[in-house]
Amino acid sequence: MPTNSNALVWKTRLFAAIVIVTNVTGNFALSWGIKHGAAMDGSAWSFVRVVFDPWVFCGILLLSGWVLSRMALLSWADLSYVIPVTSVGFVLNAVMGAAFLNEVITPLRWLGTLCIVGGTVLVGLTAAKTETS
Amino acid sequence: MAWIYVAIIVISTVASDLLQSWEMKRQGEVTEFGIGGIGRLLRLLLTKAPLIGSMVFLAISFYAFLALLAVADLSFAVPATALSLVAETVLARLLLKENVTPARWGGTVLVATGVALLAL
């Protein structure tokens, strides 16, 4: 199995964490804003109103940070590494949905959570940057 | 209607990620992380056609995601896009020629299964 230098490993972990946190908090802010703020009825004007809701706007800022940190991460790490490793954010999304949006986490969802964590650990053990073939 | 939004999200997400990964590899590893580094990333976003295309697909995905959130729970909306995980890994192997090891395939399938289970 190919290995990367210590510096690259820690840089990759740091940026993966930033990507996950900005994505999860950004998605949460968007969802909160849409469910508790401006309503969307499909018209162009309602899209504009929603974008300038404070929660939605905050979500957009966080997701802008997500785009930039992900661009940086993808400049050295494989896409096939970044996608599964940052998927642990799905678990945090579900937990935040349950904690703050009164969404239900069923036993199947907990099983799904275990699968995601297991898969993330498995991919996380591989080298982030490999030679192309 | 929700599944139409999901299809739009998956297709546009896959296209966006492939374009972004391909162009960022071409630009080389980012080593500057201060204001100058952020400025360089923003400049790349505004001047490189693949990154502009990536942002267009991301915007399509974003608006479809907003529309999906209006008709479905967040805990359905996010996991329902799990198909993109496997599609992106297959295309990363085929188009970006990445070296996808068995451990990475296994982990990706496990994550996609888990994400799908979250939607049930």
Side-chain angles (χ1 to χ4, degrees), chain A residues 11 74 77 80 103 109 127, chain B residues 25 29 75 78 98 104 118:
Chain A
K11 189 167 80 165
L74 282 171
S80 56
E103 294 178 359
R109 284 185 176 173
Chain B
K25 296 290 182 312
E29 184 176 338
S75 52
V78 176
E98 289 184 2
R104 208 177 267 183
L118 282 186

Side-chain angles (χ1 to χ4, degrees), chain A residues 44-119:
Chain A
W45 171 240
S46 74
F47 268 117
V48 175
R49 243 188 4 240
V50 164
V51 166
F52 285 98
D53 173 87
W55 279 96
V56 175
F57 189 72
C58 184
I60 291 170
L61 280 184
L62 284 163
L63 290 175
S64 300
W66 168 70
V67 167
L68 293 177
S69 57
R70 205 159 174 277
M71 275 176 70
L73 182 57
L74 282 171
S75 76
W76 68 82
D78 293 349
L79 180 64
S80 56
Y81 174 92
V82 171
I83 296 297
V85 163
T86 55
S87 291
V88 78
F90 285 120
V91 174
L92 300 178
N93 272 314
V95 169
M96 288 185 80
F100 299 107
L101 300 172
N102 297 319
E103 294 178 359
V104 178
I105 299 187
T106 61
L108 268 181
R109 284 185 176 173
W110 284 117
L111 182 63
T113 299
L114 273 179
C115 286
I116 292 172
V117 172

Side-chain angles (χ1 to χ4, degrees), chain B:
Chain B
M1 196 63 192
W3 286 104
I4 293 174
Y5 289 135
V6 169
I8 295 171
I9 292 167
V10 169
I11 291 168
S12 50
T13 300
V14 169
S16 171
D17 286 348
L18 286 171
L19 283 170
Q20 194 176 125
S21 184
W22 179 70
E23 181 60 24
M24 288 313 293
K25 296 290 182 312
R26 263 169 35 99
Q27 293 299 323
E29 184 176 338
V30 173
T31 53
E32 190 190 352
F33 302 106
I35 297 296
I38 293 173
R40 177 176 172 257
L41 287 175
L42 287 172
R43 252 195 325 277
L44 287 176
L45 260 183
L46 296 173
T47 57
K48 298 296 173 188
L51 292 177
I52 293 169
S54 165
M55 290 302 112
V56 169
F57 281 116
L58 191 63
I60 293 170
S61 171
F62 169 73
Y63 277 107
F65 187 68
L66 279 186
L68 180 60
L69 283 180
V71 296
D73 284 347
L74 177 67
S75 52
F76 166 81
V78 176
T81 59
L83 189 60
S84 66
L85 288 169
V86 178
E88 287 189 44
T89 304
V90 171
L91 292 173
R93 176 77 193 94
L94 296 177
L95 300 179
L96 303 178
K97 309 291 181 198
E98 289 184 2
N99 182 16
V100 184
T101 61
R104 208 177 267 183
W105 278 119
T108 301
V109 170
L110 206 52
V111 167
T113 305
V115 174
L117 282 175
L118 282 186
L120 297 177

